[in-house]
Amino acid sequence: MRLWRLLSAVLAGVLLCTVGIRANAAGPKVTIALDKPVNVLTNTSMALPAPMQDGDAFRPASAAYTRLAGVTVLRFPGGHGVADLYHWSRNSLTKYQGFDQPWVPQENNFGNLAKNLERYGTALIVVNYGSSLDGSRGGDAGEAAAWVAYTNGDPNDTRSVPKEKDGEDWRTIGYWASLRGQQPQASDDGLNFLRIGHPTPFGIVQWQIGDQVFNNGYYGSDHTGTPDLHGPAPAKAKDYAHLEKNPNLSPSFYGARVAAYVTAMKAVDPSIRVGASLATPDGHPSDWDWNKKMWIKDWNDKVLRAGCQSIDFVTVDFQPNSLMPPDWTTLNEADLLASTRGRIGDVINPLIELYKHDCPAGHMPRIAFSSANLPNSVHMDHPVFPALWVADTYAVLVEAGAESVAWSEMHGDSMFTPDGKKFGPAFEGLQMLHIVARNPGDVFVKADSSSSTVAVHATRRRDGVVGLMLVNEDPKNEVTVTVQITGGSVGPKGRRIDYGMQQQKAGVPVTQSEITGLGPTFTVTVPAYTVTDILVPQGN
């Protein structure tokens, strides 16, 4: 099935009209239209970060757990400035004043990631935009192109890797591709970590140019933290003030450099998709700090104006702001569940408007969410809440055509511990979504709910199974939902899978049972604060 164009519904003025819109009605009823496809799950839809600092990120056990959650993409080498200092061919970081250099285990080099990558699926590589190999200037597009050659190149390709003026000589495509296929030498010349005995290309498709580049100091001291040696390197903390409005740190400069990177990288492999780093828009001018956010439009507008013709996707974060002054300590779960879909529109609509003005006609870069997560360090009344939020929100984002959607961590309280002894609520939410959308090519179909506290998503899986996910967002009351199937038929019985407040309190994983009495119309009782999945064979 041809991938649905990102948010074509938006351009028709009906944002997210087919991804489970909920409106109050007399009773809880959901309608599933099996003959009305919305979007399709891909092998790049679900992601997790694989930060270089995490010594457990590339171990086989972690791969097993991420696949159990339906994650098939690793974002490497991590965010918060690391990507813009990292040199993949030397496994080294450029030093930068004021940047806290992380300790990186030697085994967390790119060769080790590539060697284990097929256990996970694939990767989204964030290439170094901020620093050259010798640390004297900004990033080198040739370094990024050589990275593409290493992962995707043909050992017999004698073409030279594109070289920038005054840049490094990155040899030939075949040099790097051959290195990938070699075994380590008895005497290590410093490249043994890249000799992984894998002659077959990996075919990594997604590549991003820099990470959160808008924090390079161009907008002043409130926006620093991303190293960018296209401007002067600060010698002292006070020197960051001198970066403000430096033209070589500007959005226009970055957009033009993105285009140069794309040219170099696609000369090696024209099939790759390359993305640019944008700031997260907010379409609510009533927000208390709206005036402080006006720089966001300036960055996004000028990046797109300079480079949109070369950009395949843009990368933003998504963290819905439900914490309104004066209380910043408590997460308002009900408001967040009610407002999240609108907040997604607040991110998407401003980008669509910029595409109309700044991109070639008909060209709409897709959106990758480098981190879609909840606010940190706040109190939640119900520890199971992230499971509900992730299951519903990630389904909405995939239905809306997202390039990829990533949670904020691999190991930790929200996902899983390295030893696999503890699985967090975000992991469980991803797993519940993975149950109904299991394999690339599974099709999300139109699903509507009449209740403001019952979310619904449905799929037509490639294995002949219909998947239904119901999310009861009421923390106090169970709900009996009437389900109506149109545009196709289902069998009389299937499997029911639940994860919610009951399972979380009991410390148990998902529970499963047989469900009968299914057909064109049937009822399902969903406990309070619970995600319920139903899998049923399609009818003849």
Side-chain angles (χ1 to χ4, degrees):
M1 174 184 176
R2 184 179 179 182
L3 188 64
W4 186 58
R5 292 284 297 176
L6 171 65
L7 299 174
S8 57
V10 176
L11 297 179
V14 285
L15 174 63
L16 299 178
C17 69
T18 59
V19 292
I21 292 174
R22 289 168 282 158
N24 288 314
K29 177 180 177 181
V30 303
T31 302
I32 310 302
L34 296 179
D35 59 342
K36 295 182 178 179
V38 171
N39 216 323
V40 63
L41 185 75
T42 74
N43 65 347
T44 60
S45 292
M46 295 296 175
L48 283 178
M52 295 177 61
Q53 308 92 294
D54 186 350
D56 297 299
F58 310 147
R59 295 180 180 174
S62 293
Y65 301 141
T66 59
R67 295 303 288 263
L68 190 61
V71 172
T72 54
V73 178
L74 295 184
R75 287 182 56 88
F76 179 86
H80 307 295
V82 171
D84 289 290
L85 296 174
Y86 178 64
H87 301 287
W88 70 275
S89 66
R90 293 188 181 176
N91 194 39
S92 64
L93 294 171
T94 295
K95 294 188 180 298
Y96 188 81
Q97 170 66 33
F99 185 82
D100 187 13
Q101 300 280 115
W103 176 79
V104 178
Q106 282 300 302
E107 64 269 21
N108 279 24
N109 55 68
F110 182 71
N112 197 33
L113 169 65
K115 184 167 56 179
N116 293 283
L117 185 60
E118 285 157 340
R119 290 192 177 103
Y120 288 89
T122 187
L124 190 159
I125 304 298
V126 184
V127 302
N128 188 330
Y129 172 78
S131 59
S132 62
L133 195 60
D134 63 3
S136 66
R137 54 190 180 277
D140 182 350
E143 182 175 21
W147 204 343
V148 177
Y150 177 81
T151 62
N152 297 358
D154 181 345
N156 297 313
D157 194 333
T158 60
R159 291 178 297 155
S160 296
V161 173
K163 181 180 183 296
E164 291 218 269
K165 182 181 179 181
D166 300 325
E168 298 279 338
D169 180 359
W170 290 97
R171 302 177 181 256
T172 67
I173 296 171
Y175 170 81
W176 296 106
S178 296
L179 193 67
R180 181 189 68 224
Q182 296 171 10
Q183 296 296 330
Q185 296 179 353
S187 178
D188 189 358
D189 59 355
L191 295 173
N192 268 358
F193 74 97
L194 294 174
R195 294 185 174 97
I196 60 174
H198 197 290
T200 305
F202 287 101
I204 295 175
V205 174
Q206 296 173 312
W207 301 79
Q208 178 184 321
I209 312 302
D211 184 61
Q212 296 189 348
V213 183
F214 47 82
N215 282 328
N216 63 3
Y218 179 77
Y219 292 106
S221 59
D222 289 339
H223 299 282
T224 58
T226 299
D228 189 350
L229 290 174
H230 290 96
K236 300 177 182 178
K238 66 178 183 179
D239 292 335
Y240 280 91
H242 301 155
L243 301 178
E244 188 168 2
K245 300 304 179 184
N246 184 297
N248 287 350
L249 303 178
S250 70
S252 297
F253 187 91
Y254 171 66
R257 289 294 295 149
V258 166
Y261 268 71
V262 172
T263 297
M265 295 165 72
K266 289 195 175 184
V268 175
D269 182 358
S271 70
I272 64 173
R273 296 176 56 78
V274 185
S277 175
L278 295 190
T280 304
D282 191 329
H284 268 283
S286 60
D287 279 356
W288 69 278
D289 59 349
W290 175 252
N291 288 333
K292 294 182 181 180
K293 295 179 179 178
M294 293 307 293
W295 66 271
I296 295 174
K297 183 178 184 300
D298 181 67
W299 176 267
N300 293 348
D301 177 43
K302 291 178 180 176
V303 169
L304 291 171
R305 197 178 303 169
C308 188
Q309 72 280 358
S310 301
I311 296 171
D312 298 305
F313 65 91
V314 300
T315 301
V316 298
D317 289 335
F318 176 63
Q319 186 179 95
N321 178 18
S322 67
L323 308 177
M324 302 301 291
D327 184 2
W328 297 93
T329 61
T330 302
L331 181 68
N332 188 324
E333 296 176 2
D335 284 353
L336 183 56
L337 287 171
S339 66
T340 289
R341 291 175 183 237
R343 289 296 187 182
I344 293 173
D346 294 340
V347 172
I348 292 171
N349 275 332
L351 290 175
I352 294 296
E353 288 303 310
L354 290 179
Y355 291 165
K356 293 178 183 178
H357 293 95
D358 298 327
C359 297
H363 181 55
M364 294 202 309
R366 296 178 66 195
I367 303 172
F369 294 88
S370 55
S371 177
N373 66 308
L374 293 163
N376 297 320
S377 304
V378 293
H379 172 72
M380 294 185 189
D381 293 328
H382 305 88
V384 76
F385 173 77
L388 277 66
W389 187 86
V390 166
D392 183 31
T393 301
Y394 276 49
V396 170
L397 291 172
V398 174
E399 289 166 339
E403 175 83 10
S404 67
V405 189
W407 187 246
S408 56
E409 65 177 1
M410 178 186 291
H411 296 119
D413 292 339
S414 67
M415 283 298 294
F416 56 85
T417 55
D419 58 11
K421 293 182 178 180
K422 181 180 178 182
F423 294 89
F427 174 90
E428 301 292 358
L430 283 172
Q431 186 179 30
M432 292 302 287
L433 177 56
H434 180 47
I435 288 170
V436 297
R438 190 153 193 86
N439 295 303
D442 288 352
V443 178
F444 284 86
V445 297
K446 191 175 189 300
D448 295 318
S449 173
S450 66
S451 171
S452 62
T453 58
V454 176
V456 59
H457 304 275
T459 59
R460 201 175 62 237
R461 297 193 342 186
R462 293 172 56 194
D463 58 4
V465 170
V466 170
L468 171 64
M469 182 169 72
L470 298 167
V471 184
N472 182 1
E473 299 174 354
D474 188 332
K476 296 181 179 179
N477 303 297
E478 67 177 26
V479 60
T480 299
V481 180
T482 299
V483 180
Q484 183 177 9
I485 305 289
T486 66
S489 61
V490 298
K493 62 181 180 180
R495 299 294 297 174
R496 172 183 176 140
I497 304 95
D498 292 277
Y499 186 81
M501 196 154 48
Q502 294 176 7
Q503 288 78 14
Q504 190 275 327
K505 286 182 177 179
V508 298
V510 298
T511 56
Q512 299 190 45
S513 60
E514 185 179 62
I515 183 170
T516 59
L518 306 180
T521 303
F522 58 92
T523 60
V524 181
T525 298
V526 184
Y529 250 29
T530 294
V531 183
T532 294
D533 289 345
I534 295 173
L535 301 178
V536 56
Q538 294 185 51
N540 296 325

